Amino acid sequence: MTHAAHRACHDAGQAEILDLDAEVLAAHLTEITAWLPVDTPPRQIVDLGSGTGAGTFALLDRFPEAHVTAVDSSAGHLQRLRDKAYGRGETKRVRTVQANLDEPDWPELGTPDLVWASASLHHMAHPDQVLRAVHDLLPPGGLFAVVELAGFPRFLPESAPDDRPGLEERCHAAGARVHAAHLPHRGADWGPLLTAAGFTVEAERRLTVRVNGSNDKRVGVYAQTSLQRIRHSVADALAPEDLAALDRLLDTDNQHSILRSSDLAVRTERSVWAARRPTR
C-alpha cells in the first residue's frame, strides 16, 4: 500500500470515529459552546483541526450570524465537512482550508473573533508555536477556546468481559505506552501553556461525560469502531489472552460481540479552557 493510500485509509477510519463522536456526544458539545464567555457573539470563527466538522457545526448552531473557517490537514475530512455543510444548506457560512498547522507559515485565515481547537492541539509537534500563532491571529480581546479529552472514551464495565475483566483498561494502558512518544501532549494542562503564550485564561471547566447505551445503538457502533482502531495499535503490546478476548468482542458474529452487550456506556471527560488575548 502506498503512503497516500495508507493515509486515505487512516483518514477514512478516523472520520468514522469523529462522526460517531459528534453524534453520540452532541449534547455535551452544545453545553461547551453555550458556556463560552462571549460578550458579543463572534462573527468570524476559525476551527483549528476541524476534522469532519463537529465543532464547526456546533459553533454555527450556537452563533447563527457567524462564519467558520475550518482548518485541517486531511483533504478527506474537509471534503466530508463540505458535504455536511451542503446538506445543511450552510455552504455560504463555511470555508475550508487544508493546512499543516505545524508549519511556521500559516495560510490566510482572516481576523477571527474566536478560535476553537477541540482535541487537536495534542496532535501538534510544536504546540507552543501553535499557541503563539493563535495569539497573533486574534485581535486584542479575541477569545481562544481549547477543548481536550482526558483520554479515549471507555465503554465497558470494569468487570467485563467475564473471561478477562478489566480488558478495556489494559488496552488503553497499552495504547498510552504505544502513543507516548508521538503524542506527548495528550492530557496536558493547557492553562500554563496558554499563559506562557501571552493569553489570559478567563475560565476553565471539566465535564464528566456519561451516555447510557442501553437504548442507543450508536453507542455500540461507537464502541466497536473505537476498540477496533485501538486493536490495530496495541495488538503487539497485549497478552495473547487479552488479544483473543478483544477479538471476540470485535467479532460481530460472536455471541460475546460488543454489539450485543446491554451494559455499554460512553464514559469520558473533557477539559475546556477559555483564554483571551489581552487588550493591552
Side-chain angles (χ1 to χ4, degrees):
M1 181 181 291
T2 66
H3 175 74
H6 182 272
R7 174 61 190 265
C9 183
H10 174 271
D11 284 0
Q14 186 180 50
E16 185 178 7
I17 290 286
L18 293 173
D19 285 348
L20 284 166
D21 185 270
E23 291 180 27
V24 174
L25 304 181
H28 298 281
L29 194 53
T30 298
E31 182 181 353
I32 291 171
T33 59
W35 169 83
L36 294 176
V38 294
D39 298 323
T40 302
R43 302 299 294 267
Q44 298 294 331
I45 301 172
V46 170
D47 182 1
L48 292 181
S50 62
T52 60
T56 293
F57 295 111
L59 291 163
L60 289 176
D61 289 341
R62 172 70 175 86
F63 303 111
E65 301 300 318
H67 292 73
V68 176
T69 297
V71 186
D72 202 273
S73 62
S74 168
H77 289 358
L78 293 176
Q79 182 58 57
R80 191 174 291 217
L81 191 154
R82 287 192 294 270
D83 291 342
K84 292 179 185 178
Y86 178 81
R88 290 169 53 117
E90 292 183 320
T91 54
K92 292 184 178 180
R93 299 180 63 201
V94 176
R95 178 171 76 104
T96 60
V97 175
Q98 185 177 1
N100 179 357
L101 296 173
D102 275 320
E103 295 293 333
D105 295 323
W106 283 11
E108 173 57 43
L109 298 177
T111 305
D113 311 296
L114 167 65
V115 174
W116 168 276
S118 178
S120 57
L121 288 182
H122 68 261
H123 288 286
M124 308 300 172
H126 306 289
D128 53 341
Q129 176 180 296
V130 173
L131 295 181
R132 290 194 299 270
V134 174
H135 178 275
D136 294 342
L137 178 66
L138 284 164
L143 188 68
F144 184 24
V146 176
V147 185
E148 282 290 350
L149 303 179
F152 289 111
R154 269 59 168 172
F155 302 94
L156 295 166
E158 293 182 3
S159 58
D162 291 341
D163 55 342
R164 298 293 293 175
L167 171 66
E168 188 174 32
E169 283 306 314
R170 290 193 294 278
C171 288
H172 284 289
R177 293 192 296 272
V178 169
H179 295 298
H182 64 275
L183 290 176
H185 303 289
R186 189 169 67 187
D189 179 0
W190 292 97
L193 297 172
L194 286 162
T195 300
F199 288 98
T200 299
V201 178
E202 287 195 353
E204 180 181 344
R205 68 178 300 189
R206 191 177 183 93
L207 282 78
T208 298
V209 178
R210 184 179 178 89
V211 179
N212 192 307
S214 58
N215 296 313
D216 191 341
K217 291 184 178 180
R218 295 174 303 176
V219 171
V221 176
Y222 189 19
Q224 165 85 12
T225 306
S226 298
L227 288 176
Q228 185 68 61
R229 285 182 63 80
I230 290 174
R231 188 209 183 280
H232 289 313
S233 61
V234 305
D236 294 336
L238 287 179
E241 297 82 1
D242 279 343
L243 185 59
L246 180 58
D247 284 340
R248 287 192 290 273
L249 285 174
L250 296 174
D251 181 358
T252 56
D253 295 325
N254 193 292
Q255 63 176 336
H256 300 296
S257 167
I258 197 168
L259 294 178
R260 301 184 183 186
S261 178
S262 61
D263 53 2
L264 294 179
V266 183
R267 305 186 309 279
T268 189
E269 292 184 339
R270 290 186 174 185
S271 296
V272 192
W273 293 263
R276 198 174 298 278
R277 177 175 174 174
T279 55
R280 57 178 175 175

